[in-house]
Amino acid sequence: MRKQTVYFKNTSKKLASFFLVTAVSFTSLQPAFASRKTQAQDAKQQAENNLNSVNNNINSIANKQQELQKEINALDAELVDLLVNMDILADELADKELEIKQANKDLEIAKAEEKEQYEQMKKRIRSMYERGDGNLLEALLGATSMSDFLNRVNYYNAVYDYDREQLDIYKETKQQVIDLKSQLLTEQSEMEEMQDNYRLQETELKNMVATKESTMDDFDSQLSQAKVLAAAYKETIQEQNRIIRDEEEKERLAREAAERAAREAAEAAEQAAREAAERAAREAQARAQAEQQQAAQQQNTQQPSSGGSSSGSSSPSTDSSSGAGSTPAVSPSGVTGSDVINYATQFIGNPYVWGGTSLTNGTDCSGFVMSVYAHFGYSLPRVSSAQASCGRGVSYSEAQPGDIICYSGHVALYMGGGRIVGAQSSRTGITTQNATYRTIIAVRRIIN
């Protein structure tokens, strides 16, 4: 028994040593695997962080491009509208020049008629004086009756009054033509100034479009660079994923090899233990038989004991944890058109500034209309083309104070009596004007 016990102890020690060597061999491989895998995971995490940052930047650039494109489209639309207005204004200028030429012709005709009437009147007066007062007296005294006498007196007075009246008419006609020509020249000057303003606006709009298109090109360049970076980070992530998969495969193969070696070692140790147990049993049986012969008197025969060997195998367990995410779960009352006009005319004489909306420091035509109505709580669009669609349309014959008179590229407020008030040009500022000095394209009523 003692030898059997000693043998089992020696066998157990050998088996334990073998398992220890196997475990150490597998464990010694883990740092190498873990080191490279950890580096790959760290590199992957860094690349994913960089990729998220670049994607956020790409989204930001894309959003900026969309907003910038909207601004470019709006400027393009405004530029097209401006060019259309410039063409219309050019046609109106051509018509105005024809009106001025016609006024010059009418003025020459009026001057000639006035001169002719004046010459005829001088001839009649000269003839009467050359014939002498006797003829006049003779004609009067030659009357056959008082009624005839009065008729003759009335005739001479009528001739004189007629000449004077015709002369006054021609003078008045000539003055009207002169006034019309002066008005036409003033309107032509204002329209030419408006044309200059349009050209300035065209240059500024084109410059703004060019600047924004340049910015768009910069965004395109930034977006291209960001996409290159994103592609590089994606490639890095893919490469690190490949390294991680390779290392995990190596870990799996090493783990399986260690487990296989452990199983084989356990089987070998178990086999050796069985063989040792069998030898020990045979030796014990032989000793027992010898002792039986020597101690024949003893009734109790010691039976040989057999010991079993136990073998254990361990397999690495894999702990896994998973987390579940959760899904989180119109107008003001009491205002009249006259109120609007009374307020608007307070600012006559203040400056015209293109793009401005200040009734005191400077405004353009649409800014003037918008700001005046804003004082009474009405919210109108900023540009004249949009204001031409506000409220409801009425004919010019139905126009009332406060209505918006719309021209091509220009708006003003109707005062009544065929007059308008508005921000006309940088030369005249906020002023009044004849409503029909240009072609009216619409009349919009804001206050019902």
Side-chain angles (χ1 to χ4, degrees):
M1 280 299 293
R2 181 176 175 277
K3 289 183 179 180
Q4 184 179 7
T5 304
V6 171
Y7 186 83
F8 276 124
K9 287 182 178 180
N10 292 334
T11 302
S12 299
K13 287 181 180 179
K14 291 178 181 179
L15 187 58
S17 298
F18 185 83
F19 282 133
L20 180 60
V21 170
T22 303
V24 169
S25 299
F26 175 71
T27 306
S28 64
L29 296 174
Q30 286 184 325
F33 295 147
S35 175
R36 194 172 179 200
K37 179 180 177 182
T38 301
Q39 291 176 357
Q41 289 174 333
D42 292 342
K44 175 187 174 183
Q45 183 63 49
Q46 183 62 43
E48 287 177 344
N49 293 339
N50 292 337
L51 179 60
N52 290 336
S53 177
V54 171
N55 284 335
N56 290 335
N57 190 28
I58 289 174
N59 292 334
S60 175
I61 293 173
N63 291 334
K64 290 179 181 177
Q65 282 184 315
Q66 291 178 356
E67 293 300 322
L68 187 60
Q69 189 60 53
K70 290 180 182 178
E71 295 177 8
I72 291 175
N73 292 341
L75 288 175
D76 286 340
E78 189 174 350
L79 183 58
V80 169
D81 189 44
L82 179 64
L83 294 175
V84 170
N85 290 334
M86 289 177 68
D87 289 340
I88 295 174
L89 184 61
D91 293 340
E92 291 182 351
L93 272 171
D95 293 340
K96 193 66 68 175
E97 289 178 358
L98 293 176
E99 292 178 12
I100 292 174
K101 289 180 180 179
Q102 184 61 44
N104 286 329
K105 291 180 181 178
D106 294 342
L107 181 60
E108 294 302 320
I109 293 172
K111 287 180 179 179
E113 290 179 350
E114 177 194 16
K115 182 177 181 181
E116 181 181 357
Q117 179 65 23
Y118 182 68
E119 293 297 329
Q120 290 177 358
M121 186 179 71
K122 286 197 302 182
K123 286 180 181 179
R124 279 192 290 271
I125 294 174
R126 187 183 301 113
S127 175
M128 292 173 62
Y129 278 102
E130 284 176 353
R131 286 183 298 176
D133 293 340
N135 291 332
L136 176 60
L137 182 60
E138 205 175 284
L140 294 176
L141 295 177
T144 58
S145 65
M146 179 58 69
S147 175
D148 186 26
F149 176 81
L150 293 176
N151 286 336
R152 296 188 182 198
V153 171
N154 289 334
Y155 169 76
Y156 282 107
N157 288 335
V159 169
Y160 175 80
D161 291 341
Y162 173 77
D163 288 337
R164 172 56 61 186
E165 181 180 354
Q166 289 299 311
L167 185 59
D168 290 341
I169 289 173
Y170 287 126
K171 284 183 178 180
E172 182 179 354
T173 301
K174 185 179 80 170
Q175 186 60 45
Q176 288 177 352
V177 174
I178 291 173
D179 292 342
L180 176 60
K181 179 181 178 182
S182 176
Q183 177 184 342
L184 291 174
L185 289 173
T186 300
E187 292 174 354
Q188 182 187 41
S189 175
E190 291 177 351
M191 293 171 72
E192 288 173 347
E193 184 176 359
M194 185 177 293
Q195 191 177 49
D196 292 337
N197 288 336
Y198 280 166
R199 289 178 181 144
L200 178 62
Q201 294 176 32
E202 178 186 13
T203 301
E204 293 179 354
L205 286 172
K206 287 182 177 179
N207 290 338
M208 292 171 67
V209 170
T211 300
K212 292 186 180 297
E213 287 179 345
S214 176
T215 304
M216 182 68 79
D217 292 339
D218 291 341
F219 282 153
D220 288 338
S221 176
Q222 295 176 26
L223 190 60
S224 177
Q225 294 175 2
K227 288 181 178 179
V228 170
L229 283 176
Y233 289 137
K234 288 179 181 178
E235 186 176 350
T236 299
I237 291 172
Q238 292 173 354
E239 176 63 18
Q240 300 310 311
N241 282 333
R242 185 190 64 77
I243 294 174
I244 292 171
R245 286 195 302 270
D246 290 345
E247 293 305 309
E248 288 178 345
E249 180 64 16
K250 290 178 182 179
E251 288 180 359
R252 185 185 66 79
L253 293 175
R255 185 171 58 252
E256 290 178 353
E259 291 174 354
R260 185 168 55 253
R263 285 195 302 271
E264 291 174 354
E267 291 173 357
E270 188 176 352
Q271 180 64 29
R274 283 197 300 270
E275 292 175 355
E278 290 176 358
R279 284 194 301 270
R282 286 194 298 271
E283 290 175 358
Q285 185 176 6
R287 284 194 300 271
Q289 289 175 353
E291 290 176 357
Q292 284 178 354
Q293 291 175 0
Q294 293 175 3
Q297 296 85 7
Q298 294 182 358
Q299 296 299 321
N300 294 330
T301 301
Q302 237 179 355
Q303 296 296 329
S305 61
S306 59
S309 63
S310 62
S311 63
S313 62
S314 63
S315 61
S317 61
T318 303
D319 294 333
S320 64
S321 63
S322 64
S326 61
T327 305
V330 160
S331 66
S333 61
V335 179
T336 66
S338 297
D339 295 334
V340 173
I341 295 303
N342 290 337
Y343 178 71
T345 52
Q346 298 178 33
F347 305 101
I348 292 175
N350 287 345
Y352 173 97
V353 175
W354 179 68
T357 58
S358 172
L359 297 174
T360 54
N361 297 327
T363 180
D364 57 15
C365 62
S366 56
F368 175 80
V369 173
M370 181 189 73
S371 298
V372 168
Y373 267 104
H375 175 75
F376 296 96
Y378 290 86
S379 179
L380 299 187
R382 174 63 184 85
V383 295
S384 58
S385 58
Q387 290 177 2
S389 301
C390 292
R392 65 183 180 92
V394 298
S395 65
Y396 175 66
S397 61
E398 298 174 324
Q400 296 178 1
D403 289 347
I404 302 177
I405 306 297
C406 304
Y407 307 90
S408 174
H410 184 64
V411 289
L413 294 175
Y414 189 66
M415 301 173 63
R419 304 287 292 175
I420 56 173
V421 59
Q424 183 67 23
S425 65
S426 56
R427 183 175 65 85
T428 60
I430 298 174
T431 185
T432 61
Q433 175 106 337
N434 287 330
T436 56
Y437 85 104
R438 288 182 61 191
T439 302
I440 297 174
I441 61 175
V443 180
R444 308 301 298 185
R445 180 158 299 161
I446 305 302
I447 300 175
N448 294 324

